[in-house]
Amino acid sequence: MLRFFKGFGLLSVVLLGAVTVPVQAAGDLLVAPTRVVLDGSRGTEVVLNNIGSEPATYRISLEIKRMTAAGGLDEIAEADVTPAERTALDMIAFSPRRVTLPPNQPQVIRVGVRIPEGTPPGEYRAHMLFRAVPDAAPAVAADPAKPAATGVSIALIPIYGITIPVIVRVGDLGAEAVIGEAWVGDTPDGPAFNFGLTRTGNRSVYGDIEVTRPGVSEPLLVARGIAVYPEVGAREVSLRVPPELAAKLKGPVRIRYSEDREIGGGTIDEAERVVK
């Protein structure tokens, strides 16, 4: 489940048994599931729920994002999409495209796919965007007792949004992933546990990371929803950790990359590394 806050940060990490998630005030949107995979046989549903105290309106659309080697997702202008990305935009259908949600009232978004005959085998992906529509600001009458203002006045209204991937798979596809070197490094926001992840095959890989000390069953670190998309052969995974955990992660560790628990949780790759 994704939780839409007044911002864009989303993370699901377990640190020594404690789950850390962003915390914000009212006006949140819950989105489930966080990832949609379609094979053309049938559609699915995405459920939205406004857990705020006021009604909220959201506009729903599709956009193209490409993964970078650093693991980020760059938004691609429509004029720059590739033919395969255009195919993804054209084959994915959804309804409705705009919703107003009262507090604690769920809304179903129906998602389907129409795969044209002759579509080459492969994985096609677009990202479904849920963007908040700001309330119209009421007009304020001028105070005749005050002098008229001169110049230009600009009011900035932040618009918040969240995306989930919608993946269409055509044909018999497969992929593997290999865990690379691991290290603890510093970022402007604090220490992070980093490792490389290399993908081969003709589709994305997606799953969970678990880091344990050899011979100890209790994990030091668990991260959910780590993906490598087909446009990159390798990426760097960087997971923010508290300073006290960063110190514990140094030395010999076992890193396990496993499939999503909903499809069995099988091991994709497992490796022993000495973290510096």
Side-chain angles (χ1 to χ4, degrees):
M1 179 182 294
L2 286 188
R3 186 169 182 168
F4 164 76
F5 301 91
K6 295 186 176 180
F8 291 86
L10 291 166
L11 182 63
S12 178
V13 177
V14 180
L15 307 176
L16 294 173
V19 180
T20 64
V21 296
V23 177
Q24 274 289 352
D28 298 343
L29 175 70
L30 297 184
V31 181
T34 61
R35 178 173 174 266
V36 172
V37 179
L38 302 170
D39 61 7
S41 60
R42 61 179 180 176
T44 189
E45 296 178 343
V46 175
V47 179
L48 312 181
N49 195 6
N50 173 19
I51 63 170
S53 59
E54 300 291 336
T57 299
Y58 301 92
R59 183 179 295 112
I60 306 162
S61 60
L62 293 177
E63 63 181 16
I64 294 298
K65 289 178 176 288
R66 293 180 196 152
M67 178 166 277
T68 68
L73 289 171
D74 288 342
E75 184 176 345
I76 306 302
E78 190 167 347
D80 298 326
V81 302
T82 65
E85 291 167 341
R86 169 56 58 188
T87 298
L89 291 173
D90 291 342
M91 70 169 61
I92 297 170
F94 61 94
S95 178
R97 295 175 177 265
R98 181 184 175 110
V99 295
T100 298
L101 302 178
N104 299 309
Q105 180 65 49
Q107 168 74 51
V108 170
I109 307 300
R110 295 177 297 277
V111 184
V113 60
R114 296 186 294 266
I115 301 176
E117 186 176 353
T119 299
E123 182 172 286
Y124 301 84
R125 185 184 84 255
H127 290 254
M128 183 169 286
L129 170 64
F130 306 91
R131 187 182 295 278
V133 178
D135 295 332
V140 178
D143 186 347
K146 294 182 179 180
T150 59
V152 177
S153 177
I154 299 176
L156 298 179
I157 301 175
I159 299 176
Y160 308 106
I162 188 174
T163 61
I164 64 171
V166 180
I167 296 169
V168 180
R169 289 177 176 159
V170 180
D172 186 15
L173 310 179
E176 297 179 348
V178 176
I179 298 167
E181 294 303 312
W183 69 99
V184 171
D186 292 325
T187 76
D189 298 318
F193 177 75
N194 310 287
F195 62 94
L197 201 55
T198 301
R199 180 200 59 83
T200 56
N202 53 6
R203 66 167 178 84
S204 60
V205 290
Y206 176 87
D208 302 334
I209 289 291
E210 183 178 86
V211 183
T212 57
R213 188 72 67 194
V216 180
S217 59
E218 182 71 19
L220 291 170
L221 173 65
V222 175
R224 311 290 186 197
I226 304 298
V228 187
Y229 290 130
E231 60 266 30
V232 293
R235 62 162 289 192
E236 180 182 303
V237 179
S238 183
L239 303 172
R240 283 275 315 281
V241 294
E244 60 272 19
L245 180 56
K248 294 180 180 179
L249 285 166
K250 292 184 178 181
V253 299
R254 178 179 293 274
I255 306 173
R256 179 174 180 260
Y257 186 34
S258 59
E259 294 177 336
D260 187 75
R261 291 167 294 175
E262 294 184 358
I263 59 172
T267 298
I268 301 173
D269 190 36
E270 192 169 18
E272 293 185 359
R273 296 289 182 262
V274 177
V275 179
K276 298 181 180 180

